[in-house]
Short mmCIF file of all heavy atoms in Angstrom, two decimals:
data_model
loop_
_atom_site.label_atom_id
_atom_site.label_comp_id
_atom_site.label_asym_id
_atom_site.label_seq_id
_atom_site.Cartn_x
_atom_site.Cartn_y
_atom_site.Cartn_z
N GLU X 13 0.83 -1.14 -0.01
CA GLU X 13 -0.01 -0.02 -0.01
C GLU X 13 0.92 1.22 -0.01
O GLU X 13 1.91 1.31 0.67
CB GLU X 13 -1.01 0.03 1.20
CG GLU X 13 -2.04 -0.84 1.18
CD GLU X 13 -3.01 -0.58 -0.11
OE1 GLU X 13 -3.35 0.64 -0.11
OE2 GLU X 13 -3.22 -1.45 -0.90
N PRO X 14 0.47 2.29 -0.76
CA PRO X 14 1.32 3.47 -0.78
C PRO X 14 1.47 4.08 0.56
O PRO X 14 0.50 4.24 1.40
CB PRO X 14 0.54 4.47 -1.68
CG PRO X 14 -0.27 3.48 -2.55
CD PRO X 14 -0.71 2.38 -1.66
N ILE X 15 2.68 4.43 0.91
CA ILE X 15 2.96 5.10 2.25
C ILE X 15 2.65 6.64 2.23
O ILE X 15 2.08 7.11 3.08
CB ILE X 15 4.39 4.92 2.61
CG1 ILE X 15 4.64 3.39 2.82
CG2 ILE X 15 4.77 5.70 3.88
CD1 ILE X 15 6.14 3.05 3.02
N LEU X 16 2.90 7.18 1.01
CA LEU X 16 2.62 8.57 0.83
C LEU X 16 1.52 8.80 -0.11
O LEU X 16 1.36 8.01 -1.10
CB LEU X 16 3.94 9.35 0.34
CG LEU X 16 5.06 9.39 1.29
CD1 LEU X 16 6.29 9.97 0.58
CD2 LEU X 16 4.70 10.09 2.62
N LEU X 17 0.67 9.78 0.07
CA LEU X 17 -0.57 9.96 -0.74
C LEU X 17 -0.37 10.93 -1.90
O LEU X 17 0.35 11.89 -1.75
CB LEU X 17 -1.66 10.62 0.19
CG LEU X 17 -2.11 9.80 1.47
CD1 LEU X 17 -3.04 10.57 2.25
CD2 LEU X 17 -2.68 8.41 1.07
N ASN X 18 -1.07 10.61 -2.95
CA ASN X 18 -1.23 11.62 -3.99
C ASN X 18 -2.30 12.72 -3.52
O ASN X 18 -3.09 12.33 -2.63
CB ASN X 18 -1.83 11.08 -5.24
CG ASN X 18 -0.82 10.41 -6.17
OD1 ASN X 18 0.33 10.22 -5.85
ND2 ASN X 18 -1.19 10.05 -7.37
N ALA X 19 -2.16 13.93 -4.10
CA ALA X 19 -3.20 14.81 -3.89
C ALA X 19 -4.50 14.27 -4.53
O ALA X 19 -4.40 13.61 -5.59
CB ALA X 19 -2.94 16.21 -4.57
N PRO X 20 -5.74 14.44 -3.99
CA PRO X 20 -6.92 13.91 -4.64
C PRO X 20 -7.02 14.44 -6.14
O PRO X 20 -7.04 15.61 -6.28
CB PRO X 20 -8.03 14.46 -3.74
CG PRO X 20 -7.39 14.61 -2.43
CD PRO X 20 -6.02 15.08 -2.68
N THR X 21 -6.96 13.44 -7.04
CA THR X 21 -6.87 13.89 -8.46
C THR X 21 -7.94 13.33 -9.30
O THR X 21 -8.38 12.12 -9.08
CB THR X 21 -5.60 13.35 -8.93
OG1 THR X 21 -4.44 13.99 -8.17
CG2 THR X 21 -5.26 13.84 -10.47
N TYR X 22 -8.33 14.03 -10.35
CA TYR X 22 -9.43 13.49 -11.22
C TYR X 22 -8.87 13.61 -12.66
O TYR X 22 -8.22 14.59 -13.03
CB TYR X 22 -10.65 14.44 -11.10
CG TYR X 22 -11.12 14.50 -9.65
CD1 TYR X 22 -10.78 15.61 -8.88
CD2 TYR X 22 -11.86 13.53 -9.06
CE1 TYR X 22 -11.12 15.77 -7.60
CE2 TYR X 22 -12.32 13.63 -7.68
CZ TYR X 22 -11.94 14.67 -7.03
OH TYR X 22 -12.25 14.79 -5.70
N LEU X 23 -9.20 12.52 -13.47
CA LEU X 23 -8.83 12.46 -14.78
C LEU X 23 -9.98 12.63 -15.70
O LEU X 23 -10.88 11.81 -15.79
CB LEU X 23 -8.14 11.14 -15.10
CG LEU X 23 -6.75 10.81 -14.58
CD1 LEU X 23 -6.24 9.52 -15.25
CD2 LEU X 23 -5.78 11.97 -14.94
N PRO X 24 -10.15 13.77 -16.43
CA PRO X 24 -11.28 14.00 -17.35
C PRO X 24 -11.40 12.87 -18.32
O PRO X 24 -12.39 12.74 -19.08
CB PRO X 24 -11.04 15.33 -17.89
CG PRO X 24 -10.14 16.03 -16.92
CD PRO X 24 -9.27 14.94 -16.35
N PHE X 25 -10.36 12.09 -18.54
CA PHE X 25 -10.32 10.99 -19.43
C PHE X 25 -11.42 10.03 -19.16
O PHE X 25 -12.08 9.43 -19.97
CB PHE X 25 -8.98 10.37 -19.43
CG PHE X 25 -8.85 9.04 -20.18
CD1 PHE X 25 -8.56 9.12 -21.61
CD2 PHE X 25 -8.94 7.87 -19.62
CE1 PHE X 25 -8.36 7.96 -22.40
CE2 PHE X 25 -8.81 6.68 -20.25
CZ PHE X 25 -8.53 6.72 -21.66
N TYR X 26 -11.74 9.84 -17.83
CA TYR X 26 -12.78 8.97 -17.41
C TYR X 26 -14.14 9.76 -17.31
O TYR X 26 -14.13 10.84 -16.71
CB TYR X 26 -12.49 8.43 -16.02
CG TYR X 26 -11.29 7.50 -16.08
CD1 TYR X 26 -10.15 7.70 -15.26
CD2 TYR X 26 -11.21 6.32 -16.87
CE1 TYR X 26 -9.07 6.83 -15.29
CE2 TYR X 26 -10.18 5.42 -16.84
CZ TYR X 26 -9.19 5.72 -16.04
OH TYR X 26 -8.05 4.88 -16.06
N PRO X 27 -15.13 9.23 -17.81
CA PRO X 27 -16.46 9.96 -17.87
C PRO X 27 -16.92 10.41 -16.57
O PRO X 27 -17.38 11.58 -16.34
CB PRO X 27 -17.48 8.91 -18.51
CG PRO X 27 -16.64 8.03 -19.35
CD PRO X 27 -15.29 7.97 -18.57
N GLU X 28 -16.75 9.56 -15.40
CA GLU X 28 -17.27 9.92 -14.07
C GLU X 28 -16.39 11.13 -13.57
O GLU X 28 -16.90 11.94 -12.85
CB GLU X 28 -17.19 8.79 -13.11
CG GLU X 28 -15.89 8.08 -12.88
CD GLU X 28 -15.49 7.04 -13.96
OE1 GLU X 28 -16.11 7.04 -15.04
OE2 GLU X 28 -14.73 6.15 -13.52
N ASP X 29 -15.07 11.09 -13.89
CA ASP X 29 -14.23 12.23 -13.40
C ASP X 29 -14.56 13.48 -14.26
O ASP X 29 -14.49 14.61 -13.60
CB ASP X 29 -12.75 11.87 -13.60
CG ASP X 29 -12.29 10.85 -12.43
OD1 ASP X 29 -13.17 10.36 -11.75
OD2 ASP X 29 -11.02 10.73 -12.33
N MET X 30 -14.84 13.28 -15.51
CA MET X 30 -15.18 14.50 -16.26
C MET X 30 -16.44 15.17 -15.71
O MET X 30 -16.47 16.41 -15.59
CB MET X 30 -15.43 14.12 -17.79
CG MET X 30 -15.89 15.21 -18.63
SD MET X 30 -14.84 16.52 -18.89
CE MET X 30 -13.82 15.85 -20.27
N ALA X 31 -17.39 14.36 -15.33
CA ALA X 31 -18.61 14.95 -14.80
C ALA X 31 -18.34 15.70 -13.52
O ALA X 31 -18.87 16.86 -13.27
CB ALA X 31 -19.73 13.81 -14.58
N TYR X 32 -17.49 15.07 -12.64
CA TYR X 32 -17.21 15.76 -11.35
C TYR X 32 -16.41 17.01 -11.60
O TYR X 32 -16.76 18.05 -11.03
CB TYR X 32 -16.35 14.77 -10.50
CG TYR X 32 -15.97 15.30 -9.13
CD1 TYR X 32 -16.89 15.25 -8.04
CD2 TYR X 32 -14.82 16.14 -8.93
CE1 TYR X 32 -16.59 15.75 -6.82
CE2 TYR X 32 -14.60 16.68 -7.69
CZ TYR X 32 -15.49 16.57 -6.70
OH TYR X 32 -15.11 17.09 -5.47
N VAL X 33 -15.45 16.96 -12.56
CA VAL X 33 -14.67 18.16 -12.81
C VAL X 33 -15.54 19.28 -13.38
O VAL X 33 -15.37 20.45 -12.86
CB VAL X 33 -13.50 17.89 -13.89
CG1 VAL X 33 -12.83 19.12 -14.29
CG2 VAL X 33 -12.51 16.92 -13.15
N GLN X 34 -16.37 18.99 -14.26
CA GLN X 34 -17.27 20.02 -14.89
C GLN X 34 -18.22 20.62 -13.90
O GLN X 34 -18.45 21.85 -13.83
CB GLN X 34 -18.20 19.42 -15.93
CG GLN X 34 -17.29 18.98 -17.19
CD GLN X 34 -16.76 20.15 -18.00
OE1 GLN X 34 -17.39 21.19 -18.09
NE2 GLN X 34 -15.76 19.88 -18.74
N GLU X 35 -18.64 19.84 -12.88
CA GLU X 35 -19.56 20.34 -11.81
C GLU X 35 -18.83 21.12 -10.77
O GLU X 35 -19.45 21.98 -10.18
CB GLU X 35 -20.32 19.10 -11.13
CG GLU X 35 -21.37 19.59 -10.21
CD GLU X 35 -22.13 18.34 -9.57
OE1 GLU X 35 -21.99 17.19 -10.17
OE2 GLU X 35 -22.85 18.47 -8.64
N HIS X 36 -17.54 20.75 -10.40
CA HIS X 36 -16.90 21.47 -9.33
C HIS X 36 -15.59 22.32 -9.75
O HIS X 36 -14.71 22.56 -9.03
CB HIS X 36 -16.44 20.37 -8.37
CG HIS X 36 -17.42 19.64 -7.76
ND1 HIS X 36 -18.00 18.39 -8.32
CD2 HIS X 36 -18.17 19.72 -6.59
CE1 HIS X 36 -18.87 17.90 -7.54
NE2 HIS X 36 -19.03 18.76 -6.53
N LEU X 37 -15.72 22.64 -11.09
CA LEU X 37 -14.52 23.39 -11.60
C LEU X 37 -14.20 24.62 -10.74
O LEU X 37 -12.90 24.96 -10.70
CB LEU X 37 -14.78 23.77 -12.98
CG LEU X 37 -13.60 24.10 -14.03
CD1 LEU X 37 -12.63 22.91 -14.00
CD2 LEU X 37 -14.11 24.40 -15.41
N ASP X 38 -15.10 25.27 -10.12
CA ASP X 38 -14.76 26.52 -9.44
C ASP X 38 -14.04 26.23 -8.13
O ASP X 38 -13.59 27.25 -7.46
CB ASP X 38 -16.15 27.31 -9.17
CG ASP X 38 -17.08 26.47 -8.30
OD1 ASP X 38 -17.13 25.22 -8.41
OD2 ASP X 38 -17.99 27.13 -7.72
N THR X 39 -13.94 24.97 -7.70
CA THR X 39 -13.22 24.73 -6.40
C THR X 39 -11.90 23.96 -6.73
O THR X 39 -11.28 23.63 -5.70
CB THR X 39 -14.14 23.86 -5.57
OG1 THR X 39 -14.36 22.58 -6.10
CG2 THR X 39 -15.38 24.65 -5.23
N LEU X 40 -11.61 23.54 -7.99
CA LEU X 40 -10.55 22.72 -8.17
C LEU X 40 -9.36 23.53 -8.79
O LEU X 40 -9.50 24.61 -9.21
CB LEU X 40 -10.89 21.60 -9.17
CG LEU X 40 -12.09 20.66 -8.82
CD1 LEU X 40 -12.45 19.73 -9.98
CD2 LEU X 40 -11.56 19.80 -7.62
N VAL X 41 -8.21 22.82 -8.76
CA VAL X 41 -7.01 23.42 -9.47
C VAL X 41 -6.81 22.55 -10.72
O VAL X 41 -6.86 21.27 -10.61
CB VAL X 41 -5.76 23.51 -8.64
CG1 VAL X 41 -5.38 22.14 -8.00
CG2 VAL X 41 -4.58 23.98 -9.44
N VAL X 42 -6.73 23.11 -11.95
CA VAL X 42 -6.59 22.41 -13.11
C VAL X 42 -5.17 22.58 -13.76
O VAL X 42 -4.68 23.71 -13.69
CB VAL X 42 -7.64 22.92 -14.15
CG1 VAL X 42 -7.39 22.21 -15.48
CG2 VAL X 42 -9.06 22.63 -13.67
N LYS X 43 -4.57 21.43 -14.06
CA LYS X 43 -3.10 21.54 -14.60
C LYS X 43 -3.05 21.01 -16.01
O LYS X 43 -3.62 19.92 -16.26
CB LYS X 43 -2.24 20.72 -13.68
CG LYS X 43 -2.19 21.24 -12.22
CD LYS X 43 -1.27 20.32 -11.35
CE LYS X 43 -1.12 20.90 -9.96
NZ LYS X 43 -0.28 20.09 -9.11
N ASP X 44 -2.34 21.77 -16.76
CA ASP X 44 -2.09 21.25 -18.23
C ASP X 44 -0.91 20.33 -18.12
O ASP X 44 0.13 20.80 -17.69
CB ASP X 44 -1.80 22.51 -18.99
CG ASP X 44 -1.64 22.17 -20.48
OD1 ASP X 44 -1.19 21.09 -20.88
OD2 ASP X 44 -1.98 23.05 -21.43
N VAL X 45 -1.07 19.06 -18.57
CA VAL X 45 0.01 18.09 -18.35
C VAL X 45 1.22 18.42 -19.23
O VAL X 45 2.31 17.88 -18.95
CB VAL X 45 -0.50 16.68 -18.72
CG1 VAL X 45 -1.75 16.36 -17.82
CG2 VAL X 45 -0.84 16.51 -20.15
N SER X 46 1.12 19.34 -20.22
CA SER X 46 2.26 19.63 -21.09
C SER X 46 3.16 20.68 -20.46
O SER X 46 4.20 21.01 -21.06
CB SER X 46 1.84 20.03 -22.46
OG SER X 46 1.10 21.14 -22.48
N GLU X 47 2.62 21.32 -19.43
CA GLU X 47 3.40 22.46 -18.85
C GLU X 47 4.17 22.08 -17.68
O GLU X 47 3.99 21.02 -16.96
CB GLU X 47 2.37 23.61 -18.39
CG GLU X 47 1.57 24.14 -19.64
CD GLU X 47 2.46 25.25 -20.40
OE1 GLU X 47 3.64 25.45 -20.10
OE2 GLU X 47 1.85 25.83 -21.32
N ALA X 48 5.16 22.87 -17.22
CA ALA X 48 6.01 22.70 -16.12
C ALA X 48 6.39 24.00 -15.47
O ALA X 48 6.08 25.11 -16.03
CB ALA X 48 7.20 21.90 -16.42
N GLY X 49 7.04 24.01 -14.29
CA GLY X 49 7.61 25.20 -13.68
C GLY X 49 6.58 26.13 -13.13
O GLY X 49 6.71 27.24 -12.95
N GLY X 50 5.38 25.54 -12.80
CA GLY X 50 4.31 26.33 -12.24
C GLY X 50 3.39 27.00 -13.33
O GLY X 50 2.39 27.62 -12.98
N TYR X 51 3.78 26.84 -14.63
CA TYR X 51 2.95 27.31 -15.66
C TYR X 51 1.75 26.34 -15.99
O TYR X 51 1.91 25.15 -15.77
CB TYR X 51 3.80 27.59 -16.90
CG TYR X 51 4.86 28.58 -16.83
CD1 TYR X 51 6.18 28.34 -16.53
CD2 TYR X 51 4.50 29.95 -16.94
CE1 TYR X 51 7.04 29.29 -16.32
CE2 TYR X 51 5.41 30.95 -16.74
CZ TYR X 51 6.73 30.56 -16.45
OH TYR X 51 7.73 31.60 -16.28
#
């Protein structure tokens, strides 16, 4: 079992996660996977 946790993460790739992200977008942080350095 993982000793250290990931931040709670959603993948819009999955339909159920997409639905959650669309509904709660105003409370989430969204990251572009192609960016780095805080961009």
Side-chain angles (χ1 to χ4, degrees):
E13 283 300 308
I15 296 167
L16 297 174
L17 302 174
N18 274 12
T21 304
Y22 308 96
L23 288 188
F25 174 84
Y26 293 121
E28 60 272 24
D29 282 13
M30 174 67 85
Y32 182 88
V33 170
Q34 293 289 333
E35 186 177 345
H36 298 88
L37 199 56
D38 59 337
T39 66
L40 299 173
V41 55
V42 176
K43 298 180 179 180
D44 187 327
V45 302
S46 64
E47 297 280 3
Y51 294 98

